[in-house]
Amino acid sequence: MTDFTPNEMMTIAAARQLSNDDVCFVGIGAPSAACNVARLTHAPDITLIYESGTIGTAPDVLPLSIGDGELCETALATVSVPEMFRYWLMGGRISIGFLGAAQLDRFGNINTTVIGDYHHPKVRLPGGGGAPEIATSCGEIYITLKQAQRAMVERIDFYTSFGHGDGGDHRQRLGLTTRGPTLLITDLAIWRPDSESKEFVVRSLHRGVTRDMVQDTCGWTVRFSDDLEETPPPTAEELGTLRDLQARTAAAHAGARRAA
Amino acid sequence: MTDFTPNEMMTIAAARQLSNDDVCFVGIGAPSAACNVARLTHAPDITLIYESGTIGTAPDVLPLSIGDGELCETALATVSVPEMFRYWLMGGRISIGFLGAAQLDRFGNINTTVIGDYHHPKVRLPGGGGAPEIATSCGEIYITLKQAQRAMVERIDFYTSFGHGDGGDHRQRLGLTTRGPTLLITDLAIWRPDSESKEFVVRSLHRGVTRDMVQDTCGWTVRFSDDLEETPPPTAEELGTLRDLQARTAAAHAGARRAA
Amino acid sequence: MSKFLPLSQAVGENLGNGDVVAFEGFTHLIPHAAAHEAIRQGFKDLTLLRMTPDIIYDQMIGMGMAKKVIFSYAGNPGVGLLRRMRDAIENAYPRGIETVEHSHSAMAQAYEAGASGLPLALFRGYKGADLPKVNPDIRFIACPYTGEQLAAVPAHRPDVTFIHAQKANQKGDVLIEGIIGVQKEAALAAGRVVVTVEEVVPSFRGLHPNLCILPHWTIDAIAVVPGGAHPSYTHGYYERDNAAYLEWDRISADRDLFAGWIRENVLGKTPDAFADRVKGLRQ
Amino acid sequence: MSKFLPLSQAVGENLGNGDVVAFEGFTHLIPHAAAHEAIRQGFKDLTLLRMTPDIIYDQMIGMGMAKKVIFSYAGNPGVGLLRRMRDAIENAYPRGIETVEHSHSAMAQAYEAGASGLPLALFRGYKGADLPKVNPDIRFIACPYTGEQLAAVPAHRPDVTFIHAQKANQKGDVLIEGIIGVQKEAALAAGRVVVTVEEVVPSFRGLHPNLCILPHWTIDAIAVVPGGAHPSYTHGYYERDNAAYLEWDRISADRDLFAGWIRENVLGKTPDAFADRVKGLRQ
């Protein structure tokens, strides 16, 4: 299977990191696609949780919003939003939380709040939503991001959610017992934090990606692993599953559009 | 209607104090009987809540326990016990809370915890259950009690729940904004607190009851109202409703006993 | 006590200029019809409270009705940014607004605290995040048992909460099902509660005992507005109008387009319009 | 992850001497079968945690298995006192026990705090009451917004929680309905969770979306024990055996009568006995 897009590679690479025993706090977009590809391929018993309160969902099409009806209809149970945050997120029941980013630094700190000064922003972004507590309560955090100079920056404008802070043992110094960001999957590469400094290091390049391509789309000086690998390209099953899912999704949402 | 017992009079006198708009936190025993007599006579729309989480119950027979199945089966909704205490009791949704007492003082302070020293009790009673927060969270408190020297005492051994403390503005001094005990209904009389001192004063004697009978069964020096009244005796409807309810209850519980 | 009222009266009697008001709904059951009625009645200086201010708050902010927004995620769900809200924050158009920003967890628990008669919510949160630096309402308290620093936020106690629900029974009890969000807490935390419902049924007898129900004595007014959540959805009645959310991105991007849309679709309409809007979306 | 096990193995693998253990149930769904299995296996030095320690804790205390009880109401519901527990407190028979006493509200919220990953529960409570004088675990904290003194209690984090429920599905998810009490919180607050159920069904498909469910990955072991709540009841399956509660008052009043009853009805029996006990009580 050679014909795939960088976004497809990103989604499938993320899906591979998930297992049957995982309980995932899923966000909309690439995380949702990745989690459901995992569920439809190698991890049929994975538990997917959306912050709308839906526990153990198995949507046939990807939701457009975090609270689409499909999520509730296919869930094991749907709880209130306060319960979702209290018993399930902060209660420590989630093994993997997914986060996206408008700005990301090399230590996995994330900004989705403002570009510029908080009180006089250049761009007012949507804000953190669940992210501040997702970042600290989940067993570990996976970040998905399309690489770009303006997204991967030396210094983020606002700490919407805490990753490894200044690196090293910063999480422990704050009393955090969860692992924080352990994986960054972009459209070009797979990154993992250095075990000491906690700086993200490129471990694997997707097929056809060069070191320069990664550096050119990243605002900090990139570190590459000594034993840099190539990400195995999507298998036919993985790609077929993802594309079928996206086709079903497009058809379903177009259907709603026609009806409107 | 002349033939009634003191307990029947107590229950019916309590029932009369309730209205359609009341939301009652009901205890087992006399309060449960009183609330259901009210519901079956003049207050069909009264809301009865039991601390097992059953909201808006309408049991056909009186429950033996606070969590009998009948309460759930006839309830508008049944919520968890944490929700019951948080949103409904402490959230200030209850207009009238009923409390009983092993020991009661003239200011409506109640002991159901121990007789004697707490750490070396003469009698270890069941304890407070919901009472500490019922006493402070409900709009007002009604107390039902069978009069006895050992129950109505000068000084209780343990403040399981707070009534008017030392009297006067003691509740306000603790920051309490609810009214506390506003009514004491015994098998002999109806008592209400003095508006200043908050000491219980006998306002009404049940038919056939003398001042001496009240004083002889009370451990403190009883104050009687200047305009002491006679409690209207139970009407035929009230007594019939109560007795039917108790007959149904006895039959239902005996049925369960036979089945066992 | 629940009163069944026309929506215009339910809104008029319960909302006032300067109120702190929550129109809650978590993607599901968003009370669009009630919000449009508030726009028609032209309230001013509102403090808008909501976890996820989306299209309806974008519309109210765009009409200059809000002086302050308390929130945790200001986006058009699944689509992008809220362009009228951005215009107010970035350009003070049509007026400047104050923002008080929290995390979802803090907002949900602040409602829960309000419903529980507590002055604050306490939780393990905000560690390492910047929001406590820009929101002075966020404090930290040491746990007396462990010494751990726990985050605190003030309880939400809105003057009035508006929600949309599936059903009322004839007594005025209200049933919410599916994605129930934070609506029960937002209602129980409020001074007054107004509910729009899809329909009224004789009674809830025979329903499962543990469903999410607001008893009639917790509600001030109920208005029957079929389709009243559109373009949000009502579980069991009609689907989400995803196309309308996508279209909002275009409409809200332009001040004049926005004004025209509001004139045509809100000011020039009545609550009855909602039933037509969901005709093609019914299940 | 849920494993379906015989009750003896489910109890043996998850309970240990010295554990803090909760057998929860609020009148409804009291896990009698699990408690009797614990008595047969003869655990020692347990800290028994429960809002309403009733017959099962009276039995375990009477057998000398408890060193400490944390509770809010120690009565035989609807009947009277707990006579074995009184004998332990008043006469140290068969051994003395430490008691840590709370209000219902505090206990419920301490479980909720445990389930929420919090070290404490904070609430408007205990004002004017004497329990804070005799229970040093009860503290007061000033609200940073209002200055109000709020009550605090430590979160409950039992080593293991036992509950009884109506149904498991084949994956090991568990459904609780009717009076749901504090069981979900007690389970989610615990290190290990053991559930006895009336029956196993293929799946929960088609059930209402908002029911009280514990997913299989929150549960360590499930044992199928029909009648396992007797003489408590299971909504939808069998009624409460009120006569047995009344009879317990007589049995528990006498040390020898108690010992004989335990020999005959617990030590000499297996979990299968429970199905027979509810035969006449099925609806």
Side-chain angles (χ1 to χ4, degrees):
Chain A
M1 185 65 63
T2 53
D3 179 27
F4 58 89
T5 69
N7 252 321
E8 286 172 338
M9 183 71 252
M10 176 169 78
T11 301
I12 287 165
R16 289 174 183 159
Q17 304 293 329
L18 304 171
S19 78
N20 265 336
D21 290 341
D22 280 321
V23 177
C24 298
F25 211 73
V26 187
I28 291 301
S32 181
C35 287
N36 281 289
V37 167
R39 182 177 62 80
L40 294 167
T41 56
H42 65 281
D45 290 334
I46 191 172
T47 297
L48 307 186
I49 294 184
Y50 291 72
E51 66 191 6
S52 55
T54 49
I55 297 176
T57 68
D60 191 51
V61 304
L62 295 175
L64 184 69
S65 84
I66 207 92
D68 275 19
E70 172 91 356
L71 296 175
C72 175
E73 283 155 22
T74 63
L76 172 65
T78 299
V79 302
S80 75
V81 165
E83 178 181 326
M84 174 50 62
F85 284 97
R86 288 172 69 88
Y87 296 177
W88 302 93
L89 178 64
M90 296 195 297
R93 294 279 164 186
I94 314 290
S95 61
I96 296 171
F98 278 91
L99 291 174
Q103 285 183 332
L104 172 77
D105 72 16
R106 73 183 73 202
F107 295 115
N109 304 300
I110 287 174
N111 174 21
T112 60
T113 302
V114 287
I115 304 297
D117 176 67
Y118 181 82
H119 295 288
H120 304 284
K122 265 187 280 193
V123 183
R124 173 64 230 199
L125 300 166
E133 284 77 32
I134 291 171
T136 54
S137 303
C138 296
E140 55 193 310
I141 297 295
Y142 291 179
I143 300 168
T144 57
L145 187 70
K146 192 168 148 48
Q147 288 201 200
Q149 288 269 357
R150 64 178 169 74
M152 300 173 81
V153 297
E154 190 65 48
R155 180 137 195 95
I156 61 177
D157 291 349
F158 192 89
Y159 275 54
T160 303
S161 64
F162 189 80
H164 296 287
D166 302 330
D169 64 351
H170 202 165
R171 288 182 73 84
Q172 288 93 310
R173 282 187 278 123
L174 289 189
L176 295 171
T177 55
T178 51
R179 295 174 65 199
T182 55
L183 186 67
L184 165 62
I185 297 179
T186 70
D187 51 337
L188 303 183
I190 296 176
W191 311 53
R192 290 188 186 277
D194 178 85
S195 61
E196 288 299 313
S197 73
K198 302 298 180 190
E199 178 187 353
F200 274 126
V201 176
V202 176
R203 306 297 171 129
S204 172
L205 296 176
H206 303 336
R207 175 174 291 185
V209 174
T210 64
R211 292 183 184 223
D212 282 353
M213 288 164 71
V214 173
Q215 182 61 75
D216 288 350
T217 52
C218 181
W220 68 78
T221 304
V222 179
R223 274 185 57 193
F224 294 89
S225 174
D226 293 340
D227 47 355
L228 192 65
E229 297 175 359
E230 180 183 281
T231 315
T235 66
E237 188 206 2
E238 288 168 336
L239 206 53
T241 301
L242 173 59
R243 288 177 180 175
D244 286 352
L245 181 63
Q246 288 174 328
R248 284 198 303 277
T249 300
H253 291 170
R257 182 196 293 255
R258 270 198 310 277
Chain B
M1 185 66 58
T2 53
D3 178 27
F4 58 88
T5 68
N7 252 321
E8 286 172 338
M9 183 71 252
M10 176 170 77
T11 301
I12 287 165
R16 287 174 184 159
Q17 304 292 330
L18 304 172
S19 78
N20 265 337
D21 291 341
D22 280 320
V23 177
C24 298
F25 210 73
V26 186
I28 291 301
S32 181
C35 287
N36 281 289
V37 166
R39 181 178 62 79
L40 294 167
T41 56
H42 65 281
D45 290 334
I46 191 171
T47 296
L48 306 187
I49 293 184
Y50 290 72
E51 66 191 5
S52 55
T54 49
I55 297 176
T57 67
D60 191 52
V61 305
L62 295 175
L64 183 68
S65 85
I66 209 93
D68 275 18
E70 172 92 356
L71 296 175
C72 176
E73 283 154 23
T74 64
L76 172 64
T78 298
V79 303
S80 75
V81 165
E83 177 180 327
M84 173 50 62
F85 283 98
R86 288 172 70 89
Y87 296 177
W88 302 94
L89 178 64
M90 296 194 298
R93 294 279 164 186
I94 314 289
S95 61
I96 296 171
F98 278 91
L99 290 174
Q103 286 184 333
L104 172 77
D105 71 16
R106 74 183 72 203
F107 295 114
N109 305 299
I110 286 173
N111 174 20
T112 60
T113 303
V114 286
I115 305 298
D117 176 66
Y118 181 81
H119 295 287
H120 304 284
K122 263 186 283 194
V123 183
R124 174 65 230 200
L125 300 166
E133 284 77 31
I134 292 171
T136 54
S137 303
C138 297
E140 55 193 309
I141 297 295
Y142 292 178
I143 299 168
T144 57
L145 188 70
K146 191 168 148 48
Q147 289 202 197
Q149 288 269 356
R150 64 178 169 74
M152 301 175 80
V153 298
E154 190 64 47
R155 182 139 193 95
I156 61 178
D157 291 349
F158 191 90
Y159 275 53
T160 303
S161 64
F162 189 79
H164 296 287
D166 301 331
D169 65 351
H170 201 164
R171 287 182 73 85
Q172 290 92 312
R173 281 187 278 124
L174 289 189
L176 295 171
T177 55
T178 52
R179 295 174 65 201
T182 56
L183 187 65
L184 165 63
I185 297 179
T186 70
D187 51 338
L188 302 182
I190 296 175
W191 311 55
R192 290 188 185 278
D194 178 86
S195 61
E196 288 300 313
S197 73
K198 302 297 180 189
E199 177 187 355
F200 274 127
V201 176
V202 177
R203 306 298 170 129
S204 172
L205 296 176
H206 302 337
R207 176 173 290 184
V209 174
T210 64
R211 292 183 181 222
D212 282 352
M213 288 164 70
V214 173
Q215 182 63 74
D216 289 349
T217 52
C218 181
W220 67 77
T221 303
V222 178
R223 276 184 56 193
F224 294 90
S225 173
D226 292 342
D227 48 357
L228 192 64
E229 295 175 2
E230 180 182 281
T231 314
T235 66
E237 188 206 0
E238 288 168 335
L239 206 52
T241 301
L242 173 59
R243 288 177 179 175
D244 286 352
L245 181 61
Q246 289 174 327
R248 283 199 303 279
T249 301
H253 292 172
R257 182 195 294 254
R258 268 199 309 277
Chain C
M1 291 295 158
S2 296
K3 290 185 293 184
F4 288 92
L5 295 176
L7 181 59
S8 58
Q9 194 181 345
V11 172
E13 287 184 2
N14 287 286
L15 185 59
N17 293 330
D19 275 354
V20 177
V21 56
F23 293 76
E24 267 297 348
F26 201 88
T27 310
H28 181 216
L29 292 175
I30 297 169
H32 275 262
H36 285 190
E37 184 58 38
I39 293 172
R40 277 191 291 275
Q41 297 191 20
F43 294 96
K44 291 202 179 95
D45 294 327
L46 300 176
T47 293
L48 298 175
L49 179 62
R50 187 157 169 221
M51 294 183 66
T52 53
D54 61 357
I55 292 183
I56 54 174
Y57 280 15
D58 212 29
Q59 293 169 350
M60 295 168 84
I61 292 166
M63 294 299 284
M65 295 163 67
K67 69 172 178 193
K68 183 170 172 179
V69 183
I70 304 173
F71 73 103
S72 45
Y73 185 87
N76 179 345
V79 179
L81 303 169
L82 289 181
R83 299 184 185 284
R84 292 297 90 224
M85 186 168 167
R86 279 187 61 186
D87 209 8
I89 294 174
E90 296 170 14
N91 310 308
Y93 180 90
R95 61 171 287 183
I97 54 171
E98 184 187 347
T99 56
V100 176
E101 188 166 358
H102 287 287
S103 69
H104 273 352
S105 189
M107 287 287 285
Q109 292 180 99
Y111 278 123
E112 184 168 323
S116 304
L118 270 170
L120 83 168
L122 196 65
F123 60 105
R124 193 171 259 171
Y126 283 130
K127 283 247 171 85
D130 272 351
L131 274 180
K133 296 181 187 164
V134 297
N135 180 350
D137 280 350
I138 302 167
R139 309 273 175 87
F140 290 87
I141 295 181
C143 171
Y145 307 103
T146 63
E148 179 179 353
Q149 291 290 316
L150 298 166
V153 294
H156 290 332
R157 301 304 303 258
D159 294 309
V160 52
T161 287
F162 291 87
I163 62 172
H164 185 72
Q166 274 93 351
K167 292 175 176 67
N169 65 20
Q170 285 179 344
K171 274 188 147 177
D173 307 311
V174 164
L175 171 69
I176 308 168
E177 50 192 349
I179 290 177
I180 54 180
V182 73
Q183 283 95 309
K184 187 175 190 171
E185 290 75 15
L188 294 179
R192 299 181 295 282
V193 179
V194 177
V195 186
T196 53
V197 296
E198 290 293 326
E199 64 172 331
V200 179
V201 297
S203 108
F204 292 158
R205 284 244 158 241
L207 293 185
H208 193 281
N210 302 129
L211 299 187
C212 179
I213 286 177
L214 286 168
H216 61 91
W217 41 273
T218 63
I219 296 166
D220 294 271
I222 297 176
V224 183
V225 187
H230 177 273
S232 168
Y233 71 104
T234 298
H235 180 97
Y237 289 80
Y238 48 88
E239 293 182 355
R240 192 167 187 267
D241 188 352
N242 285 323
Y245 280 90
L246 294 166
E247 199 190 351
W248 185 252
D249 201 47
R250 185 181 62 80
I251 296 160
S252 61
D254 183 276
R255 292 174 183 176
D256 293 334
L257 205 55
F258 165 77
W261 189 93
I262 290 283
R263 263 198 311 278
E264 186 179 343
N265 294 284
V266 180
L267 301 180
K269 288 286 194 298
T270 65
D272 297 338
F274 282 88
D276 287 339
R277 290 173 184 159
V278 299
K279 266 187 186 150
L281 298 161
R282 289 200 180 271
Q283 289 157 328
Chain D
M1 291 294 159
S2 296
K3 290 184 295 184
F4 288 93
L5 296 176
L7 181 58
S8 57
Q9 194 182 346
V11 171
E13 287 185 3
N14 288 287
L15 186 58
N17 293 330
D19 275 355
V20 178
V21 56
F23 293 77
E24 268 297 349
F26 202 87
T27 309
H28 181 216
L29 292 175
I30 297 170
H32 275 261
H36 284 190
E37 184 59 36
I39 292 172
R40 276 192 293 275
Q41 297 192 21
F43 294 97
K44 293 205 179 93
D45 295 327
L46 300 176
T47 293
L48 299 175
L49 180 62
R50 185 154 169 224
M51 294 184 64
T52 52
D54 61 356
I55 292 183
I56 54 173
Y57 280 15
D58 212 29
Q59 292 169 351
M60 295 169 85
I61 292 166
M63 293 299 285
M65 296 163 67
K67 70 173 178 193
K68 184 171 170 179
V69 183
I70 304 172
F71 72 103
S72 46
Y73 186 86
N76 179 345
V79 179
L81 305 168
L82 289 180
R83 300 185 185 282
R84 291 297 89 223
M85 184 167 168
R86 276 188 62 187
D87 208 8
I89 295 174
E90 296 171 15
N91 309 307
Y93 180 89
R95 60 171 286 183
I97 54 171
E98 184 187 345
T99 56
V100 176
E101 188 167 357
H102 287 288
S103 69
H104 272 352
S105 189
M107 286 287 286
Q109 293 180 97
Y111 278 123
E112 183 167 325
S116 304
L118 270 170
L120 83 169
L122 196 66
F123 60 105
R124 194 171 260 170
Y126 283 131
K127 283 249 171 82
D130 272 351
L131 274 179
K133 296 182 188 165
V134 297
N135 179 350
D137 280 351
I138 303 167
R139 310 273 175 86
F140 290 88
I141 294 181
C143 172
Y145 307 103
T146 63
E148 180 181 353
Q149 290 290 316
L150 298 167
V153 294
H156 289 333
R157 300 304 302 258
D159 294 307
V160 52
T161 286
F162 291 88
I163 61 172
H164 186 73
Q166 274 90 354
K167 291 176 177 67
N169 65 20
Q170 284 178 345
K171 275 189 148 178
D173 306 311
V174 164
L175 171 69
I176 308 168
E177 51 192 349
I179 291 177
I180 53 179
V182 73
Q183 282 95 308
K184 186 174 191 172
E185 290 76 14
L188 294 179
R192 299 182 295 283
V193 179
V194 178
V195 186
T196 54
V197 296
E198 291 292 326
E199 63 172 332
V200 179
V201 298
S203 107
F204 292 158
R205 285 242 159 244
L207 293 185
H208 192 281
N210 302 129
L211 300 188
C212 178
I213 286 177
L214 286 168
H216 61 91
W217 41 274
T218 64
I219 296 167
D220 295 271
I222 298 176
V224 183
V225 186
H230 177 273
S232 168
Y233 71 103
T234 299
H235 180 97
Y237 289 79
Y238 48 87
E239 293 183 354
R240 191 166 188 267
D241 187 351
N242 286 324
Y245 280 90
L246 294 167
E247 199 192 353
W248 183 253
D249 201 47
R250 186 181 62 81
I251 296 160
S252 61
D254 182 277
R255 292 174 183 177
D256 294 334
L257 205 55
F258 164 76
W261 189 93
I262 291 282
R263 263 197 311 276
E264 185 179 345
N265 294 283
V266 180
L267 302 181
K269 289 284 196 300
T270 66
D272 298 339
F274 282 88
D276 286 339
R277 289 173 184 158
V278 300
K279 266 186 184 151
L281 298 161
R282 289 198 181 272
Q283 289 157 329

